[in-house]
Amino acid sequence: MMKLNEKQRESRNFYLFIMPWLLGMLVFTCYPIISSLYFSFTEYDIIHSPKWVGFQNYTRMLHDELFWRGVKATVIFTICSVPLQIILALILALLVNQKIPFRGFFRTVLYFPSMISGVALSLVWLWVFNSKSGIFNYILALIGVVGPSWLQDEKWALTAMIIMTLWGAGGGMVIFLAGLQGVPPLMHEAGRIDGVTRWQSLMKITLPMISPVILFQLIMGIIESFQVFTQAFVMTQGGPHYATQFYVYYLWQNGFQFFKMGYASAMAWLLLFIVMVLTYFIMTVSKKYVHYEGGDGI
């Protein structure tokens, strides 16, 4: 038997150690992705064998009213929730970046809510938005305002979902805090010597320096908001009157309630395409506004 040299033994051991991960990647990630692409061109109800229908599933979306309701709810949710989360996270990061007593305690308290799982968080907010015993309507009653039914009201259900997303701003706060601590203090000191106000320092120094972090938060926020599902599943089941029937929730319904796996797969691939195009567009436009150390952009 031919003996292996040291480099060959290292290569062999490397592939042996990563083999479990490679097998898991192939079986549980690559195979489902490829399968879903094939199913998106078929009529497949899980029970019967897939039947090739070409682009029929994709053209069907154009005439599906519930599909467009899901798109509308998701777009409104994204446009409203993402900027609010970014602004609130940045404000919190600016506050806890100051030299104040118990700074570490406040950082921990503000970050802790973002660690709560989606289902547990949804159950908590079910109580918060309860029209009879919820804390929101209780606070409104103290100032003489009759609160809405929130999750039971078609006009307020989506607003309630948007308010709920602000609860997790602590996660974004930590990322912004890391970016703020990377801003050289000498730049702020030089600005103060030149008579720059705090607002001017924020707009002309801080924000340009952390613009890559803002870009990251924007892209990740959009991707996450396009995939919102747990809140609708636990709290409203897409109601009332489809007001919170988000895109991914309707996708799940088609795949696992109506057993239209081919149609659900087509929706999944369309979502991937939309996210990729939107991300590429944002990255392209951002070159004019995002400043990187050692270069003008990516």
Side-chain angles (χ1 to χ4, degrees):
M1 180 181 292
M2 184 176 63
K3 293 184 178 180
L4 300 176
N5 59 37
E6 184 67 23
K7 186 175 182 179
Q8 289 173 328
R9 283 198 299 270
E10 288 182 0
S11 298
R12 180 199 61 187
N13 293 337
F14 168 76
Y15 286 110
L16 284 175
F17 278 117
I18 69 170
M19 188 60 66
W21 179 86
L22 283 176
L23 291 174
M25 182 73 176
L26 290 172
V27 174
F28 298 110
T29 302
C30 295
Y31 174 72
I33 290 175
I34 296 172
S35 297
S36 69
L37 180 60
Y38 167 71
F39 291 147
S40 70
F41 296 102
T42 67
E43 184 179 333
Y44 181 38
D45 61 3
I46 301 179
I47 300 174
H48 302 92
S49 299
K51 177 184 177 183
W52 185 266
V53 294
F55 287 93
Q56 183 176 318
N57 287 322
Y58 293 93
T59 57
R60 176 184 169 188
M61 297 178 199
L62 300 175
H63 311 286
D64 187 349
E65 182 182 353
L66 295 182
F67 168 82
W68 289 110
R69 284 178 178 267
V71 170
K72 179 182 177 180
T74 303
V75 170
I76 295 174
F77 179 83
T78 299
I79 292 175
C80 296
S81 66
V82 174
L84 288 175
Q85 286 186 75
I86 292 176
I87 293 171
L88 180 58
L90 179 58
I91 292 174
L92 294 177
L94 290 169
L95 291 175
V96 298
N97 194 44
Q98 306 299 315
K99 294 180 180 179
I100 57 176
F102 307 106
R103 182 169 58 177
F105 170 77
F106 288 118
R107 290 177 180 177
T108 303
V109 169
L110 291 172
Y111 174 71
F112 182 76
S114 64
M115 299 176 62
I116 302 176
S117 66
V119 175
L121 185 63
S122 298
L123 293 175
V124 170
W125 281 88
L126 269 175
W127 168 73
V128 172
F129 287 124
N130 188 288
S131 58
K132 296 181 179 179
S133 58
I135 189 171
F136 261 31
N137 282 1
Y138 174 76
I139 295 174
L140 292 174
L142 293 178
I143 57 176
V145 177
V146 179
S149 297
W150 295 109
L151 299 175
Q152 289 76 42
D153 191 332
E154 180 183 351
K155 297 180 180 179
W156 287 95
L158 188 57
T159 302
M161 293 287 188
I162 294 170
I163 294 173
M164 177 181 168
T165 61
L166 301 179
W167 179 260
M173 176 201 72
V174 173
I175 299 175
F176 273 125
L177 187 59
L180 290 172
Q181 292 179 350
V183 179
L186 290 176
M187 298 187 67
H188 292 290
E189 293 177 7
R192 283 195 294 269
I193 293 174
D194 292 337
V196 174
T197 64
R198 288 191 175 184
W199 176 255
Q200 291 174 329
S201 178
L202 172 65
M203 300 302 295
K204 300 296 184 180
I205 299 175
T206 303
L207 292 185
M209 289 293 294
I210 66 169
S211 54
V213 181
I214 298 175
L215 175 64
F216 172 79
Q217 294 278 62
L218 175 63
I219 293 176
M220 295 304 298
I222 290 174
I223 293 174
E224 291 177 5
S225 64
F226 270 48
Q227 299 180 72
V228 62
F229 167 78
T230 304
Q231 297 92 318
F233 179 77
V234 175
M235 301 172 69
T236 62
Q237 292 77 53
H241 196 60
Y242 307 108
T244 59
Q245 180 153 305
F246 298 113
Y247 188 98
V248 173
Y249 181 76
Y250 185 51
L251 187 159
W252 173 85
Q253 280 187 314
N254 278 286
F256 299 98
Q257 278 192 338
F258 311 144
F259 298 111
K260 300 175 182 177
M261 191 58 69
Y263 189 50
S265 298
M267 290 184 64
W269 277 93
L270 178 62
L271 178 62
L272 174 63
F273 176 76
I274 292 172
V275 169
M276 289 177 62
V277 170
L278 190 57
T279 302
Y280 176 78
F281 172 76
I282 294 173
M283 292 296 295
T284 302
V285 173
S286 70
K287 293 178 180 179
K288 299 180 181 179
Y289 306 102
V290 179
H291 306 279
Y292 299 91
E293 292 186 26
D296 296 329
I298 295 178

